[in-house]
Amino acid sequence: MKNPPVLSVLQRQQALEKASFSRKKRAAIKIQLKNGELSFRDVLDLAKTDQIIAKMRVRELIESVPGVGKIRAAVMMEKLEISLTRRIQGLGVHQLNALMREFAVPSSSTRRGKLIVLSGPGGVGKSTIAERLRSRNNFYVSVSATTRNPRPNEREGIDYFFLSRDEFLTKIDNDEFLEWAEFAGALYGTPRAGVENSLAQGHDVLLEIEIEGARQVKAHSSEAILVFLQPPSWEHLVARLEARGTDTPERRAQRLALAQEEIAASGDFDLVLVNDEVENVVSRLVSLTT
Ligand code: 5GP
């Protein structure tokens, strides 16, 4: 094997900066795709003139399409005989055309997606349900923006978009949220673009939000189905919040007080489901989309 070139300190530094810039650029493109700000086709078009995007792995591109998770991406790539390590620039014409067909925007005769809003007290298990719907049932699960600090295991653009209060307020002014609300001292909001584009493209959409936001969504879109998730018992909820261990005792007490208020408001919802068994809840939610 040829020896690698000997780089000066400056050249090494420049190479590292270039790699970091490319990674950030690809990450930003994936977020725009997830948000619905860019379509699959837009990214392929950009890759024709942008070397950084052309070097993105096809697998990462497909996984970032709303409603497609890791499993569906792997199945699709196997079906189209595209290697999991292939980059966009390495795709053949037939593979490109086949991918375009998979992600073609359906014609206007296609059904509009269903909008399901899932609320319920913190700790009831909404995120587990949302993750199942996203990865196994092709739901577009909206990623919210929030001004609260990230928890240790949370990732930007995947769990939330973490914003400063000023950034959040600017987005409110620009009408970028479908709904937003203050909860336990932080602001939370649903980015509008991803939800509206996904519904128009026929994807079923799940919002996992607190009750004030759920009411706002219903006020604007009467077709939204509001579902309230109840814990099997109050003791069950307290135990789950304590086991989480990510909140201070004061914060936990605040969350429990909010949970009591939320449970009292469940009568405003179209449907109340008890989270006794994740699979039961998931299949009830899927049945609402047909
Ligand atoms: P957590 O801080 O535990 O992630 O979320 C606190 C509460 O905010 C949960 O009830 C969660 O469903 C809700 N929430 C998350 N994202 C949004 C959003 O975009 N809008 C509203 N209104 N509530 C949200």
Side-chain angles (χ1 to χ4, degrees), residues 111-119 133 139-143 177-179 190-209 213-228 269-271 285-290:
R111 93 190 238 285
R112 192 175 153 78
K114 290 272 168 48
L115 175 58
I116 297 184
V117 181
L118 185 65
S119 291
L133 288 170
F139 269 69
Y140 171 77
V141 178
S142 170
V143 178
F177 292 123
L178 189 67
E179 60 72 37
T190 303
R192 182 190 292 284
V195 174
E196 291 185 345
N197 291 342
S198 298
L199 290 172
Q201 289 172 17
H203 293 295
D204 298 317
V205 171
L206 183 84
L207 308 185
E208 189 230 300
I209 62 179
R215 289 189 181 119
Q216 287 174 39
V217 174
K218 189 75 176 183
H220 292 126
S221 348
S222 55
E223 87 271 24
I225 307 170
L226 303 195
V227 180
F228 190 87
F269 282 67
D270 297 314
L271 182 65
L285 293 176
V286 170
S287 73
L288 297 175
T289 65
T290 53

Side-chain angles (χ1 to χ4, degrees), residues 118-123 126-127 142-146 148-149 151 154 159-160 168 177 179-184 186-191 207-214 216 241 244 247 251 255 262:
L118 185 65
S119 291
K126 286 172 289 177
S127 320
S142 170
V143 178
S144 297
T146 182
R148 82 151 162 73
N149 290 329
R151 298 188 182 122
E154 288 180 329
D159 299 289
Y160 279 107
F168 198 103
F177 292 123
E179 60 72 37
W180 66 271
E182 181 135 25
F183 183 90
L187 299 172
Y188 294 84
T190 303
L207 308 185
E208 189 230 300
I209 62 179
E210 53 69 66
I211 52 173
E212 188 42 50
Q216 287 174 39
L241 279 178
R244 231 188 215 178
D247 291 329
R251 181 90 171 156
R255 280 183 185 272
E262 297 213 285

